[in-house]
Structure formats: structure tokens, C-alpha cells
Amino acid sequence: NIKPVNNFILIKKAEVQKESESGIVFSKSASVVKTEGKVISVGPGKLHPDSGIPFPMPVVEGDGVVYGKFDGTEVTIDGETHSLIRDNDILVKFTGGSLTVDSVEAVNDGILVYVETREQEETSGGLLLASTNDNSRRPTTGVVTKVGPGRMAESGDLIPMSVEVGDQVKFMDFAGNEVKIGDKEYSVVQMTEIYAKF
């Protein structure tokens, strides 16, 4: 039995996707390695550096999580791949076993923003053309879909979030992490990365 300490969380990693939703089988090198999994156990959390008040852990055993591509340390337990991640590596959490807009929640001071990408263009004849502009950047505006509870202050109180679901926001260039839910692209950004709402 591995029991995480501090703000570490033990995740059982989701299986590698070897087939597309339409049934196309991927080669071994093209298989999709997901950065999501199920929470197996949770450490007690870290302490605020000034007040010593414990930060609440944002997940419980059984929650699903999506975390950063380069986050965590892999461990093998009983022949299965797991990962030890920190609580601040979590981009979003979800319940019910599958990642959907209805089941997903933002954590801490995270904000899930729907961004409309223009990665492909449709011709009048119905052909889809992939974008060829290597200099194109990911959009930095979008609509707030989910809002986390907020960051903890020294007193232990949560700092209120300044945006709410439905707000359109502008956030910093290169901020956020991409999360795909269904066939739509989202960015998870922190409250401090938001410039304005409108």
C-alpha cells in the first residue's frame, strides 16, 4: 500500500487509447497516452508557509483527474501504471467515470475556458483543410465554462474569484493548459492569468 504524503496524490492512469472513436486502430507510436486517471489515495495536504493552516486537498478517492502532460512520477503497482502528482498539477477533476462538460469541475483558482480554435477550415465543397500557419497561436480569449472555488489566503479563507460562468475573458499569451472534452478544446487558466472580462 502506497500512501502519499504532503500534497501528493496517487493516480491510476487511464489506459492508452489504441483505437479512435470511429474504430480506426492506431499504430503503437500513434497511440494516445492520456494524462488522466482515477484518484486512488490522497495525501493530507501541505501547510500554508506563513500561517501553518493546512491547504484543503481538491480531490477525494474515486475522483477522475486530468493533469499536465509532463507532471507526475510514474510508479508501477501490481503491474499497473500509476502516477504520483501534486495537487497543483491537477487541471480539472470529474466524477462519473467519464470526462464531460457536465461532470467536470475546476479546482483551486483554476478556470475552464472554452476557446474556439481554427485548426481546420471547410471549403464550399465540404473538404476540411488543416491549418498550415506555424506561427498561429492558440486563442487567448474565450468563454468561462467552470470556475474553481478560489485560492486559500493566509487566514484559511478562500479568496473570491473575479469571474463567473458565462463571462468572456482575455488571458495571457501562452497561459493555460489545453484540455479536450468531447470534440471541443478548452484552456485551464489561473485567476492571476486573466487580464480582463467582458
Side-chain angles (χ1 to χ4, degrees):
N1 268 350
I2 293 182
K3 180 65 179 168
V5 297
N6 300 319
N7 61 330
F8 281 94
I9 301 161
L10 180 65
I11 305 293
K12 181 179 177 188
K13 293 183 76 171
E15 291 185 18
V16 173
Q17 186 178 343
K18 297 179 181 176
E19 188 175 304
S20 74
E21 290 179 15
S22 59
I24 297 172
V25 178
F26 298 131
S27 68
K28 188 172 185 178
S29 63
S31 295
V32 178
V33 178
K34 295 186 175 184
T35 56
E36 68 180 67
K38 181 179 177 183
V39 175
I40 301 301
S41 65
V42 179
K46 64 182 177 182
L47 302 178
H48 191 284
D50 297 322
S51 66
I53 295 173
F55 285 93
M57 292 296 278
V59 292
V60 295
E61 290 179 22
D63 282 346
V65 295
V66 178
Y67 51 94
K69 185 176 183 179
F70 302 106
D71 294 331
T73 300
E74 280 194 6
V75 292
T76 302
I77 303 170
D78 298 329
E80 294 185 315
T81 304
H82 291 68
S83 194
L84 282 163
I85 63 171
R86 295 179 192 273
D87 62 338
N88 52 0
D89 294 334
I90 297 171
L91 301 177
V92 292
K93 67 178 181 177
F94 59 95
T95 55
S98 64
L99 180 61
T100 66
V101 173
D102 292 332
S103 69
V104 74
E105 292 179 39
V107 297
N108 301 324
D109 67 336
I111 301 162
L112 183 68
V113 179
Y114 170 66
V115 291
E116 193 168 331
T117 58
R118 293 186 177 179
E119 292 179 3
Q120 50 191 16
E121 192 178 320
E122 189 171 342
T123 67
S124 59
L127 268 173
L128 291 177
L129 302 174
S131 172
T132 57
N133 183 359
D134 292 335
N135 296 324
S136 63
R137 286 193 250 169
R138 187 165 169 76
T140 57
T141 59
V143 178
V144 174
T145 306
K146 301 283 179 165
V147 178
R151 181 177 295 255
M152 191 179 87
E154 182 180 348
S155 65
D157 297 326
L158 290 177
I159 300 170
M161 300 290 274
S162 303
V163 297
E164 56 187 42
V165 172
D167 285 346
Q168 185 141 4
V169 293
K170 166 70 176 160
F171 52 92
M172 299 167 104
D173 290 346
F174 308 110
N177 288 282
E178 298 175 23
V179 174
K180 188 168 184 175
I181 302 175
D183 60 350
K184 293 187 177 177
E185 295 284 337
Y186 295 82
S187 281
V188 178
V189 296
Q190 306 304 307
M191 188 65 232
T192 54
E193 297 170 331
I194 304 252
Y195 285 138
K197 63 179 180 179
F198 44 95

